[in-house]
Amino acid sequence: NMAMFRAVLQSTVCSRPGSSSSSSSSSRTLVTRIPAVATPPAGANATSGPPTEIVRISPQLLEAGGLDPSKEAQQNLAAFSEMLQKGFLPVNLGVPGLRVQNIDPPVLTVEQFLPAEVCDALRDAAQASGRMKASGVGGTGDLQDDIRTSSTLAITKEVLEHCPQIKPLLQQLLDRAVQLLGDELDTAALSSMQFVRPASPTQLAPELPQIAHYQPGQHFLSHEDGFPSAVALDKGYQRRATLLVYLNDVAQGGATQFDHLGFGVQPQRGKALLFFPSFSGGKSDARCA
C-alpha cells in the first residue's frame, strides 16, 4: 500500500513518478503529485536544453541507505540546494531522516515521514471504504492496457464524506509535504478535495492524493510520469514532483524502480520518496522513467 501526493506548479511542463512497481508481497502507497502550467518562465531550461547525464552517489552510500546531507560539507550542500531550486523545485534538505539516493536527477527519501499509526489507519480506511478501483494511467493514450494492474482510491470530496476519518490523517501528510517542499505548496484547495489548476507561473497546486494497492504479482510497468509536451499544453499544466509514502513494509518485491538510474527504493512503512518527473522549464525528464 502506498500513498501518492502530487503537486502542480503553474510554470510549464511537469511530470509524475517515473517508476515501475512489481510486487510479490501486498503493498499500499500514498501518492501526491505536483503539476505546473505550461508557460516556461524566462531563462527556463526548456529553451537552453535540459541535462541528459546522470550524476550518482557512490554504490557504497546507496547500499548504506543514501547520502546524509547533514554530513556533507557546506559548499557541497549549497551547490546541491541551488541545483534543486533552479532545475527542479526547492527542497528543505534539513528535514530529519532525509537521504539523497541520486544527485541528478534528484531522488530523495525521508525515513519515518509519517508515523506508523497514521500509515496503518490510512491503509485500513482505504480497504474499508469499498471504493478501491482499477488504477488508471493518465497523460497518454497509446500505452498497453496492462501497464498498470494495481487498484487505487482517489481521495475526493465524496470519499471524505463517506470516510471522514481519512481527513485528519491526510492533513498530517500535507503538513509534512509543506515542511519538505516549502510554503509555496498551496494545499488550501485540498481542504475541499478539489483539484484547482495553478493560476500563476509560480503557484504549486497539489493534485488529489491517491492510495494505491498492489497485490502479489501486480505492477506498474516502466513509464515516464510527466506529460508529453502536447498533453501538458492541452491540460495547461505539467507535473513537477511526486511524493510517495509507503504505508507498509514489503519483505520481497514491490520496489519503485528507476530503470535509467539502476536502482530501486524498497517499501518501508512511513518512508517517503520524492522525485521530479520534469524540469523547471517544463520538459519531462526521461531519466526518471
Side-chain angles (χ1 to χ4, degrees):
N1 292 297
M2 61 180 91
M4 178 185 285
F5 172 75
R6 196 184 270 152
V8 180
L9 166 63
Q10 163 102 29
S11 177
T12 54
V13 185
C14 38
S15 311
R16 216 203 93 146
S19 56
S20 64
S21 178
S22 179
S23 178
S24 58
S25 302
S26 180
S27 68
R28 291 183 194 270
T29 309
L30 174 63
V31 184
T32 309
R33 304 187 185 92
I34 303 177
V37 156
T39 307
N45 54 21
T47 56
S48 60
T52 57
E53 69 275 13
I54 293 172
V55 182
R56 297 179 171 88
I57 64 173
S58 72
Q60 293 79 10
L61 277 175
L62 189 63
E63 180 67 25
L67 182 151
D68 183 351
S70 68
K71 297 180 179 180
E72 284 298 298
Q74 191 60 39
Q75 179 179 341
N76 296 340
L77 192 60
F80 183 56
S81 181
E82 183 180 17
M83 184 202 73
L84 283 166
Q85 184 167 358
K86 289 184 177 181
F88 301 93
L89 286 174
V91 176
N92 178 7
L93 298 176
V95 169
L98 187 146
R99 297 293 183 271
V100 179
Q101 306 298 328
N102 201 75
I103 295 174
D104 191 9
V107 178
L108 312 174
T109 58
V110 183
E111 303 290 335
Q112 300 179 355
F113 187 78
L114 280 184
E117 59 271 19
V118 173
C119 295
D120 293 345
L122 280 168
R123 188 180 66 241
D124 294 344
Q127 187 171 0
S129 73
R131 300 192 176 204
M132 300 288 293
K133 298 180 180 179
S135 301
V137 179
T140 60
D142 57 352
L143 298 174
Q144 62 267 40
D145 293 338
D146 63 349
I147 188 173
R148 189 176 187 183
T149 57
S150 58
S151 55
T152 298
L153 174 68
I155 304 178
T156 63
K157 182 178 180 180
E158 291 72 26
V159 166
L160 286 185
E161 290 174 350
H162 181 70
C163 308
Q165 69 273 27
I166 292 179
K167 189 166 186 178
L169 303 172
L170 181 62
Q171 189 60 52
Q172 293 195 47
L173 169 69
L174 298 178
D175 291 344
R176 291 288 280 148
V178 170
Q179 182 185 6
L180 182 62
L181 292 169
D183 294 335
E184 296 85 359
L185 184 60
D186 182 7
T187 60
L190 284 184
S191 61
S192 60
M193 283 299 107
Q194 294 179 340
F195 171 58
V196 179
R197 295 189 182 194
S200 73
T202 56
Q203 182 186 3
L204 287 174
E207 289 183 354
L208 293 180
Q210 307 169 19
I211 297 179
H213 183 202
Y214 292 85
Q215 296 279 8
Q218 292 185 329
H219 60 256
F220 194 171
L221 297 180
S222 182
H223 62 284
E224 285 187 47
D225 220 35
F227 297 131
S229 297
V231 175
L233 287 169
D234 181 62
K235 287 179 172 289
Y237 66 89
Q238 175 65 291
R239 289 165 171 169
R240 292 290 305 280
T242 297
L243 178 65
L244 298 107
V245 183
Y246 301 104
L247 300 183
N248 63 294
D249 299 321
V250 177
Q252 183 179 2
T256 303
Q257 191 71 30
F258 294 92
D259 295 341
H260 299 306
L261 307 184
F263 70 89
V265 175
Q266 189 66 24
Q268 184 179 10
R269 184 172 59 172
K271 175 190 282 188
L273 168 62
L274 173 66
F275 61 95
F276 306 92
S278 67
F279 300 98
S280 60
K283 182 176 175 61
S284 180
D285 190 350
R287 299 175 301 171
C288 285

